[in-house]
Amino acid sequence: MAYFDLHAHPVLKAHLSGTHTANRRPVWANEQDEIPKASVQVLFMRDILRHQANLYQLQQGEVNLSVSVHHSPEVGMVQSDLFHTVARHIPAFVNPDLLREVARVGEPGQRTYFDHLRDSLDLLPDNLRGPQGQYVRVLRRLSDYKPEDLNIIRAIEGAHCLFSDPAGLTAADNLLRLLTEGHRFLYLTLAHLTDNYICTHAFGMRMKVGPMPITRHPGFYPRRAGLTTVGADLIRVALRAGVLIDVKHMSRESRLQYYALRTQEFTTAPIIFSHGAATGCSARAPRIRKALPHRTDPDLVVVHYHQGGLNPGVTPEDFNCWSINLYDEDIQEIVRSRGLIGLSLDKRIAGVNKTAKEIFSRAEYELIPERPLLENPRRHAAEDADVADEEDLMADDAWAEDQEMGRATPDDDAGISWLERTRRRHLKFLAYQILYMVRVGGPATWRCLCIGSDFDGLIAPLRCSRSALDFDDVEDALVQRLAGLADGKWDPADALNPNNVRERVRDLLWRNAWRFLERHFNDPAP
């Protein structure tokens, strides 16, 4: 059975392991790496550090058509405590020299983000063969697809990857240079986790991974509100060259401005949201409980959300309502464009973990129509106006799983293991994400959904799908779960019923993406 993934990082961990191709770890390894017992912090990250979608796992998991996302590590990321802790304990995983090299991006005479993007592309050359003769086919049009091979389509995550100057003025020229050299990209994700002068990004960096602080690097905080002139020009260059725009990581206002630009100038361009989930609420009225000025930066706002019940039933109130996910209006806009929504398999994004505080730029926060007024920070503890005290979200997840163990649900069997119950709980989040999007976007949404796992993108995966090797099990489990929910409550148009649920899941795991690529990746690049 063939599977598709709209967003995976099969070469990112190899990229992080060295400073040039010759001293980096192989992108095709048959065995899972053992995480040494270097420290409590490293062990806590074992699911993040382990390979989830290297080339071997994609091939063995029958994910024989996948988008390989190429990414340049950002300065804020490599200066974080997380990266330095791993580099100190496991230099074979994160090379300390690479961290020092990336930290100097933008300085005169140093390597640029664009240089690091080229490094990433070099790790996945044309005609790459695996240790047992497996063939990797980098596609430039869908008609080159061969079912017996591992087929890869390239994409770029973060417009900063195209920068060879600090302000990003060369981004459009560098994109065209790569296309002229023969590369082809399905999409360009305009933003990532740090400020990039193209558009405001949505805050997306957890301040802790388990007990380990990550960083308070200012680059992670959103600035301004929406697209810059340079960003709008880059969008025009990309779309005219046949590179679609991925709105993941763009802030709420950046997305709205892109939708307006698209409506005015590129009405036939579909919208891609490559890896994420639903917020469970409207962009006009996000579930904000209170908002305070940031403790040290008056241009930032710290937003606290109403927290869902973390209950076994799973409701939209349990989803992660950060603006990095899709508001109801985003879902409707993507469906109208006949675009693609890639469902992330990151448990934090899917809503499994407790929703933490989010940072907005003040300029962007003030554009939310039904926002609470900023409260006086002197009435609250200093920690409320910062994110440094973020609770241990993984511990919250473990607590929720423990609570569920003590509460029987109709589909629980006597004597079920803790691990199996956790898998079932995480599968509920995935199933309800699907049904919520269909309820918001209408029956046409079924044709717009696929998997955008974000595997090997340094995520903590859902336990129901911890790597590309689990896709087959997920298919059967999702069919069973959705069949039990096909009662009209979540899908009032009756587009899902016990007789068509397997077809719907097969569409989601393969056919929707194939039909999309037939429309948008079958002709030669412009």
Side-chain angles (χ1 to χ4, degrees):
M1 193 75 74
Y3 299 100
F4 172 83
D5 194 337
L6 183 60
H7 192 95
H9 292 269
V11 302
L12 177 59
K13 289 178 179 176
H15 188 174
L16 293 172
S17 68
T19 55
H20 52 275
T21 302
N23 72 354
R24 287 183 165 116
R25 302 168 74 236
V27 294
W28 198 314
N30 290 14
E31 297 179 359
Q32 182 61 271
D33 295 304
E34 289 298 322
I35 308 301
K37 297 178 180 179
S39 69
V40 173
Q41 291 90 342
V42 169
L43 283 176
F44 205 92
M45 294 176 60
R46 59 191 180 276
D47 283 345
I48 297 173
L49 295 174
R50 285 183 178 133
H51 277 297
Q52 301 149 357
N54 64 18
L55 299 182
Y56 173 79
Q57 289 168 315
L58 290 172
Q59 189 259 341
Q60 288 295 305
E62 298 183 84
V63 186
N64 75 341
L65 180 56
S66 178
V67 177
S68 171
V69 182
H70 295 271
H71 170 75
S72 303
E74 293 144 281
V75 171
M77 295 174 64
V78 303
Q79 291 181 345
S80 70
D81 294 341
L82 182 151
F83 271 78
H84 282 284
T85 296
V86 177
R88 184 168 61 253
H89 292 295
I90 324 176
F93 278 66
V94 175
N95 186 285
D97 292 334
L98 178 73
L99 299 189
R100 287 187 283 270
E101 189 176 276
V102 175
R104 301 188 67 182
V105 160
E107 296 181 11
Q110 300 300 314
R111 302 190 77 218
T112 67
Y113 281 135
F114 189 54
D115 292 327
H116 287 279
L117 174 63
R118 285 191 175 279
D119 284 355
S120 178
L121 294 170
D122 288 344
L123 287 168
L124 194 57
D126 293 344
N127 305 316
L128 178 66
R129 289 197 175 272
Q132 279 80 48
Q134 306 96 323
Y135 187 76
V136 180
R137 185 178 294 274
V138 178
L139 304 185
R140 288 170 176 80
R141 55 189 296 179
L142 188 62
S143 57
D144 295 331
Y145 168 85
K146 300 293 182 185
E148 65 273 15
D149 297 329
L150 174 56
N151 299 268
I152 296 292
I153 297 172
R154 289 185 171 133
I156 299 172
E157 184 168 30
H160 72 280
C161 300
L162 298 167
F163 291 7
S164 52
D165 68 288
L169 298 177
T170 56
D173 290 339
N174 285 335
L175 176 61
L176 292 175
R177 182 184 306 176
L178 291 174
L179 297 175
T180 301
E181 292 171 0
H183 295 288
R184 189 171 184 188
F185 305 99
L186 177 62
Y187 60 79
L188 167 65
T189 312
L190 286 183
H192 195 232
L193 295 174
T194 59
D195 187 32
N196 72 6
Y197 309 107
I198 293 293
C199 66
T200 305
H201 71 283
F203 183 69
M205 192 66 174
R206 285 172 52 165
M207 293 297 102
K208 291 177 72 177
V209 173
M212 181 169 54
I214 296 177
T215 187
R216 278 193 255 179
H217 192 282
F220 289 120
Y221 297 148
R223 304 290 173 183
R224 302 175 301 276
L227 297 172
T228 64
T229 302
V230 174
D233 289 342
L234 176 61
I235 289 171
R236 294 183 178 100
V237 169
L239 289 176
R240 287 168 185 158
V243 180
L244 300 175
I245 298 299
D246 172 24
V247 299
K248 174 62 189 280
H249 291 294
M250 294 171 70
S251 70
R252 172 189 175 278
E253 183 63 20
S254 297
R255 298 197 297 265
L256 289 173
Q257 291 183 15
Y258 169 61
Y259 300 154
L261 186 155
R262 173 192 167 274
T263 299
Q264 293 169 5
E265 302 181 33
F266 299 95
T267 55
T268 61
I271 301 168
I272 288 180
F273 184 77
S274 65
H275 59 297
T279 61
C281 60
S282 165
R284 295 189 59 82
R287 296 197 306 273
I288 299 173
R289 178 167 56 88
K290 65 179 179 181
L292 297 91
H294 188 273
R295 184 166 55 89
T296 60
D297 190 332
D299 292 329
L300 301 175
V301 174
V302 180
V303 170
H304 299 242
Y305 290 105
H306 290 288
Q307 181 58 43
L310 288 171
N311 58 66
V314 185
T315 69
E317 287 72 31
D318 294 307
F319 294 169
N320 184 343
C321 50
W322 276 20
S323 62
I324 198 171
N325 276 337
L326 292 173
Y327 293 114
D328 294 352
E329 295 85 350
D330 291 304
I331 296 169
Q332 293 160 358
E333 192 78 29
I334 294 169
V335 173
R336 281 194 294 268
S337 79
R338 299 180 70 196
L340 271 185
I341 298 173
L343 297 166
S344 171
L345 300 180
D346 182 343
K347 65 180 184 178
R348 176 183 66 100
I349 291 296
V352 170
N353 294 118
K354 181 178 178 181
T355 302
K357 306 171 207 173
E358 182 179 0
I359 296 287
F360 282 85
S361 71
R362 184 186 286 258
E364 178 125 353
Y365 182 77
E366 292 176 350
L367 294 173
I368 299 174
E370 299 177 28
R371 66 188 183 278
L373 295 176
L374 292 181
E375 299 189 24
N376 187 337
R378 287 178 289 186
R379 297 180 181 177
H380 300 273
E383 293 81 11
D384 287 344
D386 202 347
V387 289
D389 70 321
E390 181 182 1
E391 298 176 37
D392 184 345
L393 301 185
M394 290 189 177
D396 285 332
D397 182 33
W399 173 85
E401 290 168 359
D402 289 343
Q403 291 294 106
E404 183 166 347
M405 287 183 66
R407 298 175 61 181
T409 57
D411 60 344
D412 283 336
D413 298 322
I416 191 171
S417 70
W418 175 87
L419 179 59
E420 179 58 25
R421 188 163 296 185
T422 302
R423 286 174 178 159
R424 291 189 181 190
R425 177 171 178 266
H426 289 193
L427 186 69
K428 287 180 185 178
F429 278 89
L430 182 59
Y432 276 96
Q433 282 284 346
I434 294 167
L435 294 178
Y436 180 83
M437 290 186 186
V438 172
R439 186 171 70 178
V440 168
T445 310
W446 282 113
R447 298 191 294 272
C448 299
L449 299 176
C450 65
I451 294 295
S453 69
D454 205 14
F455 279 156
D456 268 357
L458 303 178
I459 68 165
L462 294 167
R463 288 187 180 269
C464 60
S465 183
R466 300 175 73 175
S467 78
L469 297 171
D470 294 335
F471 273 42
D472 188 50
D473 292 336
V474 168
E475 177 168 14
D476 291 337
L478 198 55
V479 168
Q480 182 178 4
R481 170 63 67 185
L482 289 173
L485 297 170
D487 57 5
K489 177 181 177 182
W490 281 78
D491 190 12
D494 197 31
L496 177 70
N497 60 67
N499 297 322
N500 70 3
V501 64
R502 185 167 289 277
E503 290 299 303
R504 292 295 190 196
V505 172
R506 188 93 287 268
D507 286 346
L508 187 152
L509 294 174
W510 178 259
R511 287 192 290 251
N512 289 340
W514 184 267
R515 293 164 185 154
F516 181 89
L517 293 171
E518 282 184 320
R519 297 195 302 271
H520 301 290
F521 201 75
N522 216 13
D523 295 327

